[in-house]
Amino acid sequence: MRVPETGPVPLEEALADHTAVVFDLDGVLVDSNELKVDCVRDALAVFGPELVDPFVDEFRRTFGRTRREHFLAFHRDYLGGRNTGRDEDFEPFYARYAGDYAALLGERYAKAPLCAHADRLVPALAARGVPLYVATGTLTPEAERLLGWHGLLDAFRGVLGGEEPKARRLSGVVAGTGAAPHRTVLLGDSRQDLLAAGAAGTAFVLVTGYGFFPPGEILGGAGGPAGKEVAVAAGLDPRGLVTGAVVAQGPGQAGPVNAEPRSAP
């Protein structure tokens, strides 16, 4: 999503101009990123801090992947390196330890508060008739329960969970509307969200305030859609101004579009 040449615009107005608005869940609608880190650390604690601590760092860097992708990475790259796991062993490993993670999440997820202004922006957009969706790495039933606890579930036309990668979920929303991909916008807080929007061809708003990393790292990492213009919102305040940024070639190179001064937002 490009900020108009006239300058920054209120978030609600910028989003209402799209055919569909898709929210990431953790770190955008719900303040649950650190809660999930604690759950994955506790679920894998039996393997010891020498393996779990570096994996937790990776978990943060790749936050937004599907649950299966996270646990496959631990099984392959950490247990496999110690010759304690083989590909044919992954399914029982996943059933046990992802099951432990899901149980911990089930106990703790309800304690995660909404991100500031989520309870204002979502109803405001729904009242305007904007089609709203959630696309998340969280499994669909878990995400629906969480949104139901917070009274937001009915505002969304679909909750698309981590049974499928986020880029595929976005492509499904685009196909369902029949509109051009850039008419759909994803609000996310991570590098994985940016990459998913890039893969699906949708617009992207980087929502700051609850993510693990500052905007410069998210927009300046390797492997992304360099040169793509995106929007940056400091939270979900409907009246908060959206500024612009360009996805850079490497770390620390992202700068705003149509905004001064020219430094990372």
Side-chain angles (χ1 to χ4, degrees):
M1 183 173 73
R2 181 170 182 169
V3 176
E5 294 294 335
T6 52
V9 294
L11 178 60
E12 181 183 340
E13 299 302 321
L15 296 177
D17 191 43
H18 290 78
T19 303
V21 176
V22 185
F23 290 84
D24 177 42
L25 181 64
D26 301 295
V28 174
L29 291 174
V30 182
D31 183 9
S32 49
N33 286 2
E34 291 295 344
L35 181 150
K36 282 195 158 185
V37 167
D38 291 341
C39 286
V40 80
R41 180 185 285 114
D42 291 347
L44 297 173
V46 66
F47 296 103
E50 69 278 6
L51 291 181
V52 176
D53 287 353
F55 174 69
V56 167
D57 290 340
E58 178 180 338
F59 185 78
R60 291 174 183 271
R61 290 194 307 273
T62 59
F63 200 73
R65 292 193 301 191
T66 67
R67 185 169 305 173
R68 187 176 183 87
E69 287 173 320
H70 282 302
F71 279 86
L72 181 61
F74 181 76
H75 184 267
R76 180 190 62 231
D77 300 335
Y78 295 82
L79 299 187
R82 286 165 49 113
N83 296 319
T84 59
R86 301 184 303 275
D87 289 344
E88 60 267 28
D89 297 328
F90 176 67
E91 293 305 330
F93 166 85
Y94 183 70
R96 176 177 175 179
Y97 293 103
D100 290 347
Y101 173 78
L104 291 168
L105 199 59
E107 296 171 3
R108 303 173 185 178
Y109 221 179
K111 300 175 184 178
L114 286 175
C115 295
H117 305 296
D119 58 348
R120 292 176 54 209
L121 180 63
V122 170
L125 291 171
R128 296 175 69 147
V130 180
L132 304 180
Y133 299 84
V134 171
T136 173
T138 299
L139 299 182
T140 300
E142 296 169 355
E144 290 179 336
R145 282 195 296 272
L146 182 59
L147 291 166
W149 290 331
H150 286 296
L152 292 181
L153 181 59
D154 291 344
F156 295 99
R157 300 194 182 187
V159 177
L160 312 172
E163 295 86 357
E164 302 241 0
K166 192 170 293 183
R168 195 174 301 164
R169 292 303 203 184
L170 290 175
S171 294
V173 172
V174 170
T177 65
H182 73 274
R183 300 294 299 143
T184 293
V185 59
L186 171 67
L187 286 81
D189 68 322
S190 72
R191 183 73 178 171
Q192 294 298 313
D193 294 331
L194 170 67
L195 296 177
T202 69
F204 181 67
V205 177
L206 175 62
V207 180
T208 66
Y210 296 90
F212 290 125
F213 302 103
E217 284 190 47
I218 294 171
L219 299 178
K228 180 180 176 65
E229 296 181 3
V230 301
V232 179
L236 296 182
D237 184 350
R239 297 184 180 181
L241 296 181
V242 177
T243 58
V246 175
V247 180
Q249 298 284 348
Q253 299 176 24
V257 175
N258 303 327
E260 293 292 343
R262 299 193 62 81
S263 59

